[in-house]
Amino acid sequence: MYTDSAYYNNSYADIKDRKHPLFVSSAGVYQLITRAKLPTYRPRGRRDFQLLYVASGKAHFYFDGVEKIVPAGNMVLYRPKEEQRYYYYGADRTEVYWVHFTGNNVTNILREYGIPDNGHVIHTGVSLEYKRIFQLIIQELKHCKPHYEKLLTFYLDYLFILLSRLKVTMPEHKSSFLMDEMDKAVSYFHKNYNKPISIDAYSREQGMSVSWFIRNFKEYTGSTPAQYILSLRINNAQSLLESTSYNITEIAAIVGYDNPLYFSRLFRKYCGISPKEFRQHLHVNSSS
């Protein structure tokens, strides 16, 4: 299992802040690889709010005692003192990001962005931008640089703004067939990103024209299929650089590149620095 999390003042305490309109207290990610099951059960909930983003696979939530399977492309919002019971399974290859937040005006802020007072599941589609925002929040909580509390609020606000725009980017008249097809494609890319994938062949196998698939996939995720696969490879390479001791050649092979030099050029183009520099930067920050 891969996990990366960070907490305000390195404290696991359940914070209820009354001084700020919005305050971020912790964030993290769980990615089940070898672990069979990861359960969470808080019968009395927490004092803060929690937002979870299912980035890949699926998660099993219980609301009012009834199980609801939530696939990738959805977020789940828990409010203070609500029972929290959910499970991740390794067989589902689940990847979930989460953030806890509190404050004296959270309910009104959520309403402002069109998030209703009731209900738990928010259909968001799958976007690498969501993952990037969660990763930025995690890093800020870890490093605690000047004014990081304000920056954390800014990132969470930015996430809420993206959610509020979903009615424009994903209008209600879109058919369930289209949404299911895009969810299926996202799931396929997550499972096979490190293998050769032909967009033309995938489209034909699903009975779709290539142009229709690319157009709707970009509307759904914000990226073309090719850009999305590249982003998956680079993001997973970043995780391996941070959490393992594999060398660059090994990481390139794991994420789907036989040529480590070509991988390094793509990584630099995407991230602005080489894989080696990225790892060195991580070590400098972790020791400072």
Side-chain angles (χ1 to χ4, degrees):
M1 182 178 78
Y2 171 75
T3 180
D4 189 18
S5 56
Y7 300 82
Y8 180 71
N9 285 337
N10 294 317
S11 171
Y12 291 86
D14 186 357
I15 299 173
K16 184 174 179 62
D17 180 87
R18 300 181 187 276
K19 297 180 180 179
H20 307 87
L22 183 65
F23 185 86
V24 176
S25 56
S26 61
V29 56
Y30 291 116
Q31 185 176 7
L32 269 65
I33 301 171
T34 57
R35 186 166 176 172
K37 180 179 180 181
L38 181 64
T40 296
Y41 182 46
R42 303 182 182 110
R44 298 182 179 180
R46 290 174 53 105
R47 294 191 296 166
D48 58 12
F49 290 76
Q50 182 183 23
L51 185 67
L52 303 100
Y53 168 52
V54 185
S56 62
K58 55 188 175 184
H60 299 249
F61 291 85
Y62 286 80
F63 304 120
D64 298 321
V66 179
E67 182 185 25
K68 182 176 180 61
I69 298 176
V70 179
N74 290 278
M75 295 191 188
V76 172
L77 177 64
Y78 280 111
R79 296 162 183 83
K81 299 182 180 180
E82 286 187 325
E83 179 190 53
Q84 298 183 8
R85 180 185 173 197
Y86 49 90
Y87 300 84
Y88 310 144
Y89 294 93
D92 297 331
R93 300 186 66 83
T94 304
E95 181 183 20
V96 176
Y97 289 81
W98 52 269
V99 59
H100 286 282
F101 55 97
T102 180
N104 59 34
N105 198 36
V106 175
T107 298
N108 288 328
I109 290 173
L110 294 176
R111 289 172 181 167
E112 177 187 347
Y113 291 120
I115 299 174
D117 293 344
N118 52 12
H120 294 92
V121 181
I122 305 168
H123 186 74
T124 62
V126 177
S127 171
L128 293 170
E129 184 66 3
Y130 300 148
K131 292 178 63 171
R132 189 181 77 88
I133 294 170
F134 279 99
Q135 289 165 351
L136 287 169
I137 291 174
I138 294 168
Q139 293 306 311
E140 283 299 320
L141 280 166
K142 283 183 177 180
H143 300 150
C144 302
K145 294 180 179 179
H147 312 296
Y148 76 100
E149 295 98 334
K150 290 184 179 179
L151 194 52
L152 289 169
T153 302
F154 168 81
Y155 288 141
L156 186 56
D157 234 12
Y158 175 38
L159 181 61
F160 291 154
I161 290 172
L162 294 183
L163 298 185
S164 74
R165 292 178 174 178
L166 288 175
K167 290 184 179 180
V168 176
T169 59
M170 298 170 64
E172 293 180 0
H173 69 264
K174 289 293 184 182
S175 69
S176 59
F177 167 78
L178 186 148
M179 306 300 280
D180 289 343
E181 287 299 322
M182 297 305 107
D183 280 337
K184 186 193 300 182
V186 164
S187 178
Y188 178 82
F189 292 157
H190 273 266
K191 291 179 181 177
N192 299 280
Y193 75 91
N194 57 349
K195 303 172 185 176
I197 298 177
S198 167
I199 304 304
D200 288 10
Y202 178 85
S203 302
R204 290 194 299 269
E205 289 170 3
Q206 304 303 317
M208 301 177 285
S209 75
V210 177
S211 59
W212 184 91
F213 173 62
I214 292 176
R215 182 176 68 254
N216 283 281
F217 187 90
K218 184 173 183 180
E219 181 178 339
Y220 184 71
T221 65
S223 306
T224 66
Q227 291 168 338
Y228 193 84
I229 293 167
L230 172 61
S231 297
L232 285 174
R233 290 181 169 186
I234 298 301
N235 283 346
N236 279 280
Q238 290 175 334
S239 295
L240 290 168
L241 287 165
E242 181 176 6
S243 61
T244 75
S245 58
Y246 292 135
N247 62 42
I248 307 302
T249 299
E250 291 170 325
I251 290 175
I254 289 171
V255 300
Y257 295 104
D258 294 330
N259 187 331
L261 293 178
Y262 178 66
F263 162 71
S264 294
R265 285 198 294 270
L266 283 176
F267 190 98
R268 179 183 286 277
K269 183 178 180 180
Y270 190 88
C271 302
I273 56 177
S274 70
K276 181 179 179 180
E277 291 168 335
F278 180 85
R279 176 171 271 170
Q280 290 172 340
H281 180 71
L282 288 172
H283 290 163
V284 169
N285 282 337
S286 62
S287 60
S288 61

